[in-house]
Amino acid sequence: MNCRFVILLCIILDYGVSFAQKPKKDSTFRLKEVEVFGTKILNKDKSIMPMQTLTKVEITKLSGNTVADAVKTFSGVTLKDYGGIGGLKTVMVRSLGANHTGVFMDGVPFSDMATGQIDLGKVSTGNSDDVSLIIGQSSALCLPARYYASASIISIQSEKPAFINKNMNVKAGIKAGSFGLFNPVFTIQNRWNKTIYSDFSFDYTSAAGDYPVKIDYGNNLDSTQKRKNSDIESLNINGSVVSVLCDSSKLSLKLYYYNSERGLPGAVIYYNPFASQRLWNSDFFADLQFRSNNKKHWEWLTNLKFSRNWLRYLDPDYLNTSGKLDNHYLQQEYYFSQAVAWKPVDSLRLLLASDFFINKLDANLDDFVIPIRYSFLNVFVLQYFRNRIECNGNLLATLVHDETQKGQSAPSRSILSPSFSAGYKLMDFPSLRIRFLYKDIFRMPTFNDLYYTLVGNNKLNPEYAREYNLGLTAYCNFGFIDYVSLKADAFYNYVKDKIVAVPTKNLFVWSMRNIGKVDIQGAELQCNIKTRPLWNISYILSCNYTYQKATDITDKNSSTYNQQIPYIPYETFSARASATYRSFSLSYNALYNGYRYVLGENIYENMLSSWWTGDISLLCEIKRALYSVRLKGEISNLFNKQYEVIRSFPMPGRAYAFAITVVY
């Protein structure tokens, strides 16, 4: 009896304790914090296409404030800078011409149908979140068809506003430096309600550009002079209004405006530094974009864009009956794009995208034909993911039709361009992947190639290129190394029907011809290391090396056969190193370009010396509850050294810049 009583009492007590431990509905419990340590794998290290990216933090540590200053640090890139501080800046990627590189901002393409080359010096990085260079095409799926119509892509993503306990963000700054540099910037971001926000930025740049140059007049006569007529004044305005819909889809209106006046310093002529040519630009585009949210199976993207580019070139000393040359050019583009992506299962994705755009060029030239181009692009993309393997294939169909108001237009073109890439994960630690890329692509002749007075040839064929890439990527972390990635890529490009200018009846009248063939072989090595804080100091090191041999194989009987094509250096190297201690960051950036030739004959007289530049920047950021202040100082120096040890001369003087930015 007593045993039964004791057992019953224990059951009652146990039930009571259990009941007492049940929380009330309105009880609040504070759980212990759980710290999770891990390394985020960057998209550029997982991509089966060669991809390089600079984040916002990395961009702030570079000297310069344009996209050209950012992408020149990438491997495989050759920056062509025409005319000093305010000159045109374009890039050649893996020895393919600048016409083979597409430039996009937030999925919206920049276009120049007259030259086919985008001036990256016009695009500011002041409000950019990241800048990427992609060979082939991006691994991202829902993109316009135009995204797949270039051999390489420069993608610029704008900074996304972050509103924390306030409805307005304001950023103002000013940068001043050598050679009359004056660069104020201003950004304002507003959250109007829970679904609508806006972002507007203003960037003004002014510089005298009178940097010193050293002119070699002979063995004993060297002269240091200042560059003439190299000034620039520009204004860059970016704006966007974004509405987030109820299903998290986004409707956005993006505005872009660029206006500039600059001097063109011209060639360095013995004992004659005078130059008087001027150039004006006025570029504008407006894009209305709708992007659905990442639903389980469907996603779509719509773009509607209008752009207007106006250019004026003035040579007041041109010898003609008017006593000057004053040319005006006006380009207009109407662009519509629709992309639809479908994911039937987790391992398979499909995309169908169509772009239609109309381009028109008008000029005040005598007997100008006023061309109009109708372009229709369709692309079908298939992506497959399965465990360790990833495949990406697409087929691009292009239809182009030209019309002219005067004279004969170029024939219509209809072209199919396939592309395929694949990657396979060999091991997990270190994560080791092998990747392969093949792309068949082309570039249409530009309006200048086809219709420029006395030079254009309306019978030109497109310039075809084939890209091959075989690479190995690895990344891991160990010890105090937070992240390390290594990449090695071997590439081969072949170009046929290359469009080149050749003399006709005399050296003063040239014409465009499809006579060029180029064979391009090369290799790229990339290394990125990031450490964990050691004595409260963290370190980042990035190195890029490129070797490329781009030879002319057009005519075996030519003196330029199997020789390096002009302006392609055999070697390029870039390095970025930074050390960060609390709010202080010290960075060093170096860029080296090997020797190259200005003409097709690889002789000493045509050789341009190798050069390298280095700059040091010190960055300090003071953060408070409501605002932050960023101070940055830069010192850079440019060295120009002959590859053969025959003569060596540094550019006299250094460039200095100081910037202050306040964020509220």
Side-chain angles (χ1 to χ4, degrees):
M1 182 70 180
N2 292 336
C3 292
R4 292 180 179 177
F5 176 76
V6 173
I7 294 172
L8 180 61
L9 181 61
C10 290
I11 294 174
I12 293 173
L13 291 175
D14 181 69
Y15 178 80
V17 173
S18 301
F19 181 80
Q21 290 178 347
K22 289 184 178 180
K24 297 180 181 180
K25 292 183 178 180
D26 57 350
S27 299
T28 301
F29 294 91
R30 184 178 183 86
L31 302 178
K32 293 183 179 179
E33 293 182 354
V34 178
E35 294 184 357
V36 179
F37 296 93
T39 302
K40 182 180 178 182
I41 308 302
L42 304 178
N43 290 332
K44 64 180 180 180
D45 294 325
K46 296 185 296 182
S47 174
I48 61 176
M49 269 74 68
M51 178 180 180
Q52 302 172 72
T53 301
L54 284 176
T55 64
K56 179 183 176 182
V57 175
E58 293 171 324
I59 292 173
T60 58
K61 297 177 182 179
L62 297 175
S63 63
N65 58 348
T66 67
V67 173
D69 299 315
V71 300
K72 70 182 181 182
T73 64
F74 292 150
S75 64
V77 168
T78 303
L79 179 69
K80 299 183 71 175
D81 191 342
Y82 305 85
I85 291 178
L88 173 71
K89 296 175 176 61
T90 64
V91 295
M92 294 187 294
V93 180
R94 293 186 172 182
S95 301
L96 296 176
N99 305 69
H100 285 279
T101 302
V103 182
F104 289 76
M105 176 184 287
D106 300 325
V108 182
F110 287 88
S111 63
D112 188 329
M113 201 58 64
T115 66
Q117 305 181 31
I118 306 301
D119 183 2
L120 298 179
K122 296 180 181 179
V123 188
S124 172
T125 57
N127 202 34
S128 299
D129 198 46
D130 64 67
V131 177
S132 299
L133 171 66
I134 307 162
I135 306 296
Q137 64 274 334
S138 174
S139 297
L141 186 61
C142 200
L143 296 168
R146 208 165 179 175
Y147 217 94
Y148 298 86
S150 298
S152 57
I153 292 293
I154 294 175
S155 176
I156 307 147
Q157 295 295 325
S158 299
E159 182 182 3
K160 297 177 177 59
F163 301 99
I164 303 175
N165 301 324
K166 56 182 179 178
N167 293 324
M168 179 184 292
N169 298 325
V170 178
K171 179 170 68 175
I174 187 170
K175 183 177 183 179
S178 302
F179 321 125
L181 176 64
F182 178 67
N183 176 214
V185 295
F186 179 76
T187 299
I188 182 169
Q189 300 167 341
N190 287 282
R191 180 170 59 185
W192 302 102
N193 53 45
K194 293 182 178 180
T195 61
I196 300 176
Y197 65 85
S198 62
D199 184 359
F200 287 89
S201 63
F202 305 84
D203 189 323
Y204 173 81
T205 301
S206 176
D210 52 349
Y211 55 91
V213 294
K214 195 168 187 178
I215 302 176
D216 184 3
Y217 286 123
N219 294 328
N220 301 316
L221 298 175
D222 290 340
S223 175
T224 300
Q225 300 180 357
K226 287 189 175 182
R227 198 65 155 146
K228 302 295 184 181
N229 199 45
S230 187
D231 61 295
I232 183 174
E233 184 178 14
S234 67
L235 174 65
N236 196 322
I237 301 176
N238 279 284
S240 62
V241 179
V242 180
S243 175
V244 182
L245 306 180
C246 58
D247 60 349
S248 298
S249 300
K250 288 185 179 180
L251 180 65
S252 61
L253 174 64
K254 185 173 187 62
L255 304 173
Y256 172 88
Y257 177 72
Y258 175 85
N259 186 279
S260 71
E261 178 187 353
R262 69 190 79 184
L264 303 178
V268 176
I269 303 174
Y270 285 171
Y271 308 107
N272 182 20
F274 177 77
S276 59
Q277 293 83 8
R278 308 291 295 178
L279 188 70
W280 289 262
N281 289 96
S282 180
D283 300 342
F284 168 80
F285 79 68
D287 179 81
L288 183 64
Q289 183 182 93
F290 173 75
R291 181 183 290 275
S292 73
N293 66 332
N294 293 320
K295 295 183 178 180
K296 186 175 182 181
H297 295 292
W298 293 93
E299 185 179 358
W300 57 89
L301 174 68
T302 304
N303 276 297
L304 187 63
K305 173 195 167 190
F306 168 76
S307 66
R308 180 185 183 275
N309 301 333
W310 178 81
L311 181 145
R312 179 191 177 193
Y313 170 77
L314 174 65
D315 185 352
D317 299 309
Y318 192 79
L319 301 178
N320 60 3
T321 56
S322 301
K324 64 178 180 178
L325 190 65
D326 192 358
N327 293 342
H328 297 246
Y329 304 87
L330 177 63
Q331 296 186 64
Q332 297 181 74
E333 179 178 271
Y334 302 88
Y335 174 74
F336 173 75
S337 172
Q338 179 64 59
V340 179
W342 180 43
K343 185 171 70 173
V345 293
D346 291 338
S347 59
L348 184 64
R349 299 178 184 177
L350 302 113
L351 169 72
L352 182 62
S354 296
D355 289 11
F356 177 72
F357 45 100
I358 304 173
N359 296 89
K360 181 180 179 180
L361 175 64
D362 199 357
N364 65 340
L365 306 178
D366 293 337
D367 298 322
F368 190 67
V369 298
I370 310 180
I372 302 175
R373 173 170 293 178
Y374 302 88
S375 303
F376 188 39
L377 308 181
N378 289 279
V379 66
F380 175 73
V381 183
L382 187 147
Q383 292 182 353
Y384 177 76
F385 307 85
R386 187 71 176 182
N387 297 329
R388 295 176 176 271
I389 192 169
E390 178 181 348
C391 298
N392 189 330
N394 69 70
L395 183 63
L396 174 69
T398 304
L399 176 63
V400 176
H401 174 71
D402 281 10
E403 294 181 358
T404 56
Q405 295 186 12
K406 300 178 182 178
Q408 185 178 2
S409 63
S412 299
R413 302 291 181 184
S414 180
I415 304 170
L416 288 176
S417 306
S419 177
F420 175 77
S421 57
Y424 182 77
K425 190 173 184 180
L426 299 173
M427 55 191 302
D428 293 325
F429 188 84
S431 182
L432 189 63
R433 297 172 185 261
I434 188 171
R435 60 188 182 188
F436 171 77
L437 166 69
Y438 165 76
K439 184 164 187 175
D440 191 340
I441 200 61
F442 67 96
R443 69 104 168 167
M444 288 295 299
T446 65
F447 282 160
N448 285 358
D449 294 337
L450 295 168
Y451 307 114
Y452 201 85
T453 306
L454 299 179
V455 176
N457 176 8
N458 58 18
K459 303 299 182 182
L460 287 175
N461 293 322
E463 182 178 301
Y464 294 91
R466 290 200 298 267
E467 295 181 284
Y468 300 88
N469 186 91
L470 181 63
L472 196 65
T473 68
Y475 53 86
C476 65
N477 61 329
F478 56 91
F480 76 100
I481 302 295
D482 185 51
Y483 192 82
V484 57
S485 69
L486 300 171
K487 301 176 188 175
D489 288 277
F491 61 87
Y492 173 75
N493 300 332
Y494 173 74
V495 182
K496 71 172 183 176
D497 287 339
K498 186 172 180 62
I499 300 173
V500 295
V502 296
T504 54
K505 57 186 179 181
N506 58 57
L507 292 177
F508 298 96
V509 180
W510 292 57
S511 182
M512 310 306 295
R513 293 286 187 269
N514 285 114
I515 63 171
K517 295 181 181 179
V518 179
D519 187 89
I520 303 166
Q521 306 172 40
E524 294 179 3
L525 298 175
Q526 302 172 34
C527 175
N528 295 276
I529 301 174
K530 179 182 179 183
T531 70
R532 295 190 176 96
L534 187 65
W535 296 297
N536 293 325
I537 302 177
S538 58
Y539 303 89
I540 296 177
L541 175 64
S542 175
C543 299
N544 297 318
Y545 171 81
T546 304
Y547 172 81
Q548 49 191 345
K549 184 179 180 182
T551 55
D552 181 359
I553 57 172
T554 303
D555 183 4
K556 292 184 178 181
N557 298 319
S558 172
S559 60
T560 62
Y561 180 76
N562 207 30
Q563 298 198 30
Q564 189 86 342
I565 63 176
Y567 295 104
I568 301 295
Y570 283 97
E571 296 177 296
T572 59
F573 174 80
S574 66
R576 294 180 287 111
S578 67
T580 303
Y581 174 76
R582 295 183 179 176
S583 60
F584 293 90
S585 177
L586 180 65
S587 304
Y588 179 75
N589 305 285
L591 180 65
Y592 170 81
N593 264 40
Y595 74 102
R596 65 271 190 224
Y597 297 92
V598 297
L599 295 175
E601 292 186 74
N602 296 173
I603 57 178
Y604 178 77
E605 288 74 16
N606 294 335
M607 185 172 65
L608 280 179
S609 55
S610 58
W611 59 268
W612 68 273
T613 178
D615 62 81
I616 299 174
S617 65
L618 178 62
L619 183 67
C620 175
E621 189 165 5
I622 304 171
K623 294 185 178 180
R624 292 294 183 263
L626 296 178
Y627 65 90
S628 66
V629 179
R630 179 185 296 161
L631 305 174
K632 183 181 181 183
E634 301 174 10
I635 303 175
S636 62
N637 200 353
L638 175 68
F639 289 91
N640 193 332
K641 187 175 182 181
Q642 199 73 12
Y643 188 80
E644 299 179 6
V645 186
I646 294 179
R647 60 180 185 268
S648 173
F649 50 95
M651 295 288 291
R654 289 180 172 86
Y656 303 89
F658 178 79
I660 179 172
T661 305
V662 180
V663 179
Y664 172 76

